[in-house]
Each structure stands twice: as structure tokens, then as C-alpha cells.
Amino acid sequence: MAATAGNGPLTGVRVVELAGIGPGPFAAMLLADLGADVVRVDRPGGAGLGIDPAYDLTNRNKRSVLVDLKADDGAARVLDLVARADILIEGYRPGVAERLGVGPRACLARNPRLVYGRMTGWGQEGPLAQRAGHDIAYIAVTGTLSMIGNAGEPPTVPANLLGDYAGGSLYLVVGVLAALHHARTEGGTGQVVDAAITDGAAHLATMIHGMMAAGGWQDRRGANLLDGGCPFYGTYETADGGHMAVGALERRFYDEFVRLLGIEDRAADRDDVTRWGELRAAVADRFRTRTRADWTAVFEGTDACVAPVLSLREAPGHPHLAARGTFTRHGGLTQPAPAPRFSATPGSVRRAPARPGADADEVARDWDLPAVHPTDRRPS
């Protein structure tokens, strides 16, 4: 398949991704979904998730070349790509890229307008910069993890979505696109974007910090309006072991909620925090009398702000998500469609996940690079 960057808003933007796992590849996928031509530099032996590369959806819409950065010509081959790129993304520990010969100084010397995106947990400097870590540690020290879970219980682990992807990938994408805009202005230059998950995860809680300063948020779990402390903002088990999510915060939505749930006699409890425990018990008892499907039907078409909690496998079949095409199917795999949406330059899933080294000839042709010697390729 000949390489095309699609018709997304980033068509014409070239990205080099130095292979890693987690937030870096996801950020590069987002750029690729929006039309960028992303070339992933894989290392011999792989650096993926330990699954069949055909199922690693974070590598969709990309192409892959194999480069051993520890080989004599490894850095030079990456710098040849850099000379033709707009953005580079790497997720090594601080100092590793420099030791491999592909750090910011070497890359910007080759391409002064390059945006060099660095994705780490702790950032490029600070006491923990060289420390190993994962999502859970990053969100722990920022205070973000402390907000999640029930009162009197340990914090709940929110998969690795909050740190790696929200606090990491999305901030890296915002950063490199802002820097790209600057680089393309008159007199603009390239620069380094230091995207630390700790910085992003802390930044996500900006509103909460403001509420706490104003006395509208208690610094403990399960005691606030939006953290499960409120009986009309939370989840409840149904008769069949399913769950319903309730977010009836505003008065008119709350009134609709208690009416449809059949506990209108509890309507006044909304404004009396001392009775929230009784209200929670009443809501829980009612939800346990019927199945998730039954309650979904009861609240269908209303403004009670109640929704069924669907599993990952169930979600693509939800009528609203199906109507919007929130999920798509490509290459036999059901997957989230590109987001957000653009009226004139929509993103799309154009290519299956890149297989390591499979696109060397295409990339060499399209990026005007020397052809890769056959011995440099991974055997098929």
C-alpha cells in the first residue's frame, strides 16, 4: 500500500517517533489519526506491549522502519529522518537520547525548525528525573490519585488513563502542535517540549485546587460533590449485577431522577447533607430491584442524567455511539475512531497497526532517503 497521509488537518506534517510504550506511541497515533505522516523507528527485537503487533492499535496509521541506534550508523539514519521531519517524539529516560546521538542538540543542529517532543513521567530534571516509574506513581505524588475512590477505602486505580494518556499523551500533543505553530511563524525556530506526566496530571486538577482554596472541596475522598461523596452523583448496582451511573446534579435533573426511580418522597434530602446517607441507601435499594436493561429503559429519553455502565465490548453497540460512529472497524478490528472531529479535514483510520520494519522501502522513497540495505531489515 502506497503511503498517503490522508486528508486530516495535519496532512503534510512529518513525525518521527522513536519507539517506546504507553503515552509516546499514543501521542504519535493521535497525530497520525489527524493526518500526519508518522514514521516509527523500531528497534531490532521490539519495544512494544508484548502483544502481536497486528493488534497494537496505538501503531495504526503509522509506518515503521527498523534502526539499531546502538549500531555505528544508527544515529545517522535517524538524523536523516529528522532532517526531513517537523516533529520528533521520544520517551526515553533523561539523557538516553543524548547518549544514543539523537538528543535535542544533535537533532536541532540538523533541523533548526524541528519540534523535539520529550515524554517522561517525572520530567527532564528534578530529584526523581532518573527514577523508574509508572502511571500510578505519577498520579500519586500529584494528589490526583488521592481524589479517586470511596471514603475509608484505598484510592481506586483508574487504569493508566489518567496519568499516561490524559496527563501525558494529550499534553505532549498540545505542546508539540503549539511549538510547531511557533516554528512555522516568521522567524520561528524549533524547540524542545518537555511533557512530564506529573506536570499534566497536576494541571488536570486545576479546577479542584481552586474549589479547595475557596472552601468548596474537602481534601479527602468521597466527601465532595464530584468524587462519589454525593448520593446523586455516583454508581449503583442493579439486580443482575450491572451498574447504572447517576449524575443528577442540577435541581431539575434531580427531580426527574427521583421521580423515575420512584423515591419522590426523598426529593427534599438533596439539600440536607445530614440525610445523604439515608438518600444513598434508598437509591441503592431501588436500583437493586430491577436489571440494568430495565433501568436503562426507564431513563431512556429523559434528562435525569442516568446511563448504564457498559463494558469495553458493549460500548461500540450503544445506539448513540453507533449513530455517531464513535467506534470504527478497520482490518477486522473494532476500535475507537479518531477524535476530535473536523468539518473540512476529517481524520480517519487509514492503515492497520504498523509492523516493525515493514515500511522501509516506502519511507525511503517518500522521504527521499537512501534505500535500506537488505541486511538491515528484519526477516519476514
Side-chain angles (χ1 to χ4, degrees), residues 1-97:
M1 175 182 178
T4 57
N7 63 341
L10 296 183
T11 295
V13 173
R14 286 179 169 178
V15 180
V16 174
E17 175 199 350
L18 302 185
I21 60 173
F26 186 85
M29 181 207 76
L30 180 50
L31 297 173
D33 283 355
L34 300 182
D37 182 4
V38 177
V39 172
R40 178 178 165 95
V41 179
D42 279 297
R43 68 190 72 169
L49 297 173
I51 63 173
D52 184 337
Y55 294 92
D56 187 353
L57 292 173
T58 63
N59 285 331
R60 71 186 186 190
N61 287 338
K62 304 176 184 179
R63 297 185 287 178
S64 171
V65 299
L66 279 183
V67 177
D68 182 356
L69 275 166
K70 295 183 179 179
D72 291 342
D73 66 342
R77 290 177 60 190
V78 170
L79 291 174
D80 283 343
L81 286 166
V82 164
R84 296 156 172 81
D86 300 291
I87 297 168
L88 179 142
I89 289 175
E90 62 95 354
Y92 302 140
R93 286 200 205 189
V96 172

Side-chain angles (χ1 to χ4, degrees), residues 57 85 119 192 198 258 275 285 297 312 335:
L57 292 173
M119 181 78 265
V192 178
T198 47
V258 293
R275 304 190 68 179
D285 288 345
L312 291 174
Q335 54 197 283

